[in-house]
Amino acid sequence: MIVVVTPNPAVDVTYRVAEQRIGETQRVLDVARHPGGKGLNVGRVLAATGVATHAVLPLGETPGRWISDALDRLGLDHTDVVVSGTTRTTVTVVDDIAHPTMFGEPGPVLTAVEWDAVATAVGGLLADADTTALVVSGSLPSGTAPVVVASWVATAHGHGVLSVVDCSGAALLAAASAGATVCKPNREELLEATGATDERAGALRLLELGAGVVVVSRGAHGIAAHTADHVLEVPAVPGVSGNPTGAGDAATAGLVGALVGAGTRQGPGAPFADDTLLRALRSAAAHGAAAVLRPVAGEVDPADVHRFLTHPDRTRTPA
Amino acid sequence: MIVVVTPNPAVDVTYRVAEQRIGETQRVLDVARHPGGKGLNVGRVLAATGVATHAVLPLGETPGRWISDALDRLGLDHTDVVVSGTTRTTVTVVDDIAHPTMFGEPGPVLTAVEWDAVATAVGGLLADADTTALVVSGSLPSGTAPVVVASWVATAHGHGVLSVVDCSGAALLAAASAGATVCKPNREELLEATGATDERAGALRLLELGAGVVVVSRGAHGIAAHTADHVLEVPAVPGVSGNPTGAGDAATAGLVGALVGAGTRQGPGAPFADDTLLRALRSAAAHGAAAVLRPVAGEVDPADVHRFLTHPDRTRTPA
């Protein structure tokens, strides 16, 4: 089982309108609502591809209850930590003319007691002998001390469970310092968090802090794994176009699914063999490409994943 | 008790952003959520001014449950008719630069069985000896036969209860045809529903259909009551500026509150004396002005209403 923590889940609402205009009343032609937040996308992709997963998330007020009900409908196992604030909603307005406009609510501020309750829930699941990995993915609610992520990573390692962290900013640095098995930012997040001007320098900074390996997703430019002495790269699946939202989360799902293999535990600190990392990068690229083909983040067709995995000649390994 | 029906309630969400821009991700600086729909605004203003009121509304899914909980918190008596569709949300985006942008969801389509359940709830409340008026206010969900409004009006009159209808389009015409005691559109709604090019002609059309009196709110230009042979007018309270959203609903509350007086039943078909109508128009103007002073629709400060009611020299009665 892979435990997936979403620190700041969201109700993702998409409004289709005829044409976006400022200062007018616009009739919404179509409404879609999905449970969102990067961790939930990771968990849904894992579940869609048959990997046992369990989501942990703080949820508050009506939007929180909606997410809980939606996860039940999707059949995703989840532990809700009920908080007093209101879970955020994001509203994305789309038409066929302009780029989408996204309105992001700030989300709740959690109390120390509420974060303790999240840690207790995470700790209980990590103690389960079936748990093979911890994934932490997505932003932290504003005002959250990054140490919460470090503490989950430390708890995982205490149970011999590997950790994969896709956060940004101070939370990413805290995860690296805690020795996260894999830090998996995208390129922009890596540069922003480390202050580096190129990807290799940024990855080395996280490795110096303590990260086991740094995997950087580059969108259409593929995905790379950085260790202290070399870089492994896999290009993106060519010729795939569609909706890139959530492709990075699907890549995380593909990565962690491959790393834990068929459920066997791998020590959190053990260095991965190159062929293991390459297999995980190929899996990440295939999952990411499959996600691009779906209109909604957090979804893949397992047949697409399989097709892209068996696609030949997509690997190169520069030094 | 005044029974207020809101055929198409909404969760009214307001997002404040720094500057509205199309095609960008915008951080929401402040979120406000209120139970919305014109009837709920009317009911909340009545309750705020100490008038016993009972709201009837179809509610569906999570947004419907949110409205029900919010009305409980506000202390407004309400009967929910649970429907299978999803109650609509409206999102209004505001900044200090441009006009607000409003996104309106279409709202649920109710089945005939669900409308029957609404009629049963309305009928039960109208049969209560304490009920003095029926108010129907706001749009109908798309696909609704206007006859539902006519049937509530007929039921009210069967119980000797007067009716005030603030709807638009075919629903307004249906209410007039059913002999609504008061039809209370705003000027634009009146012209649009009747196809008339001036207010008097539009009002006469509704009176010919069967309306007892037609009260037309004109925003900053006051409010008028049309009967077959004359027009009574009261100007808006001068020098009041603020948020006009919901002012028309507050005017409806002030109007019906004055018409039913201190809880005595007035026959639905009885013509009102001119002084009764003038008192009701003054009450409507005072409530509307008080609503303009509040940032949120559906709210008034009773002290403001009292102050505007006692303001002298605001009445003229052209022929």
Side-chain angles (χ1 to χ4, degrees):
Chain A
M1 179 175 69
I2 295 174
V3 176
V4 182
V5 182
T6 307
N8 199 12
V11 178
D12 283 343
V13 179
T14 304
Y15 283 165
R16 173 162 290 279
V17 299
E19 182 181 353
Q20 298 183 65
R21 291 172 181 274
I22 287 172
E24 298 191 7
T25 293
Q26 306 203 268
R27 181 201 295 258
V28 175
L29 305 174
D30 188 58
V31 184
R33 282 188 170 77
H34 298 279
K38 291 170 65 66
L40 284 180
N41 292 341
V42 174
R44 291 169 63 199
V45 168
L46 284 169
T49 54
V51 179
T53 179
H54 194 108
V56 179
L57 56 177
L59 292 176
E61 291 294 335
T62 304
R65 288 194 296 276
W66 186 87
I67 290 176
S68 186
D69 291 346
L71 296 182
D72 287 346
R73 285 194 296 270
L74 289 166
L76 193 72
D77 287 341
H78 57 105
T79 295
D80 306 340
V81 176
V82 177
V83 299
S84 55
T86 300
T87 293
R88 68 197 168 112
T89 296
T90 63
V91 176
T92 303
V93 182
V94 300
D95 60 20
D96 291 328
I97 300 159
H99 286 287
T101 304
M102 206 270 268
F103 301 99
E105 296 185 10
V109 174
L110 271 66
T111 66
V113 170
E114 290 168 342
W115 280 122
D116 283 349
V118 175
T120 301
V122 171
L125 290 159
L126 290 172
D128 189 313
D130 288 337
T131 297
T132 53
L134 166 72
V135 176
V136 181
S137 184
S139 63
L140 299 183
S142 63
T144 304
V147 71
V148 300
V149 177
S151 72
W152 304 330
V153 167
T155 304
H157 295 192
H159 289 289
V161 170
L162 67 86
S163 58
V164 177
V165 178
D166 179 5
C167 292
S168 56
L172 184 65
L173 300 179
S177 300
T181 315
V182 181
C183 283
K184 196 230 152 251
N186 65 32
R187 205 166 180 288
E188 293 66 39
E189 290 166 338
L190 175 70
L191 300 184
E192 191 275 334
T194 60
T197 52
D198 72 88
E199 178 182 314
R200 180 66 184 160
L204 284 173
R205 175 89 183 102
L206 295 186
L207 292 166
E208 284 157 14
L209 285 173
V213 59
V214 177
V215 174
V216 183
S217 51
R218 303 168 174 166
H221 302 292
I223 187 164
H226 293 257
T227 67
D229 52 14
H230 65 310
V231 186
L232 304 175
E233 293 185 40
V234 167
V237 176
V240 176
S241 67
N243 169 31
T245 310
D249 304 330
T252 300
L255 183 84
V256 66
L259 288 178
V260 301
T264 51
R265 264 193 187 202
Q266 163 135 12
F272 296 105
D274 278 0
D275 65 336
T276 303
L277 273 180
L278 275 174
R279 197 165 51 239
L281 293 180
R282 283 190 208 107
S283 173
H287 282 73
V292 169
L293 295 183
R294 300 286 302 178
V296 174
E299 295 186 358
V300 295
D301 182 333
D304 290 331
V305 174
H306 180 74
R307 179 161 54 96
F308 292 139
L309 268 178
T310 52
H311 189 289
D313 196 26
R314 291 189 300 96
T315 308
R316 56 194 168 91
T317 57
Chain B
M1 179 175 70
I2 296 174
V3 176
V4 182
V5 182
T6 308
N8 199 12
V11 179
D12 283 343
V13 179
T14 304
Y15 283 164
R16 175 162 290 278
V17 299
E19 181 181 354
Q20 298 183 64
R21 291 172 180 274
I22 287 172
E24 298 190 6
T25 293
Q26 306 203 268
R27 182 201 295 260
V28 175
L29 305 174
D30 189 57
V31 184
R33 282 190 170 75
H34 298 279
K38 291 170 67 65
L40 284 180
N41 292 341
V42 174
R44 289 171 62 197
V45 169
L46 284 168
T49 55
V51 179
T53 178
H54 194 108
V56 180
L57 56 176
L59 293 176
E61 292 292 336
T62 304
R65 288 195 295 276
W66 185 87
I67 290 176
S68 185
D69 291 347
L71 297 181
D72 287 346
R73 285 193 296 271
L74 290 166
L76 193 72
D77 288 339
H78 56 105
T79 295
D80 307 340
V81 177
V82 177
V83 299
S84 55
T86 300
T87 293
R88 67 197 169 111
T89 295
T90 64
V91 176
T92 303
V93 182
V94 300
D95 59 23
D96 291 329
I97 301 160
H99 286 287
T101 304
M102 206 269 268
F103 300 98
E105 296 185 11
V109 174
L110 271 66
T111 64
V113 170
E114 290 168 342
W115 281 122
D116 284 350
V118 174
T120 300
V122 171
L125 290 159
L126 290 172
D128 189 314
D130 289 338
T131 297
T132 54
L134 166 73
V135 176
V136 181
S137 185
S139 64
L140 298 183
S142 64
T144 305
V147 71
V148 299
V149 177
S151 72
W152 303 330
V153 167
T155 303
H157 295 193
H159 290 288
V161 170
L162 68 84
S163 58
V164 177
V165 178
D166 179 5
C167 293
S168 56
L172 183 66
L173 302 178
S177 300
T181 315
V182 182
C183 283
K184 198 230 150 251
N186 65 32
R187 206 167 179 288
E188 292 67 38
E189 288 166 338
L190 175 70
L191 300 183
E192 191 276 333
T194 60
T197 51
D198 72 88
E199 176 181 314
R200 179 68 183 156
L204 285 172
R205 175 87 185 105
L206 294 185
L207 292 165
E208 285 157 13
L209 285 173
V213 57
V214 177
V215 174
V216 182
S217 51
R218 302 167 176 168
H221 302 290
I223 187 163
H226 294 257
T227 66
D229 53 14
H230 65 309
V231 185
L232 302 175
E233 293 184 40
V234 166
V237 175
V240 176
S241 67
N243 169 31
T245 308
D249 304 329
T252 300
L255 183 85
V256 67
L259 288 178
V260 301
T264 51
R265 265 194 188 203
Q266 163 133 11
F272 297 104
D274 278 0
D275 65 337
T276 303
L277 273 180
L278 275 172
R279 197 165 51 240
L281 294 180
R282 283 190 209 106
S283 172
H287 282 72
V292 169
L293 295 182
R294 300 286 302 177
V296 173
E299 295 185 359
V300 295
D301 182 335
D304 290 331
V305 173
H306 180 75
R307 178 159 56 96
F308 293 138
L309 267 177
T310 53
H311 189 289
D313 196 26
R314 292 190 298 98
T315 308
R316 56 194 168 92
T317 56

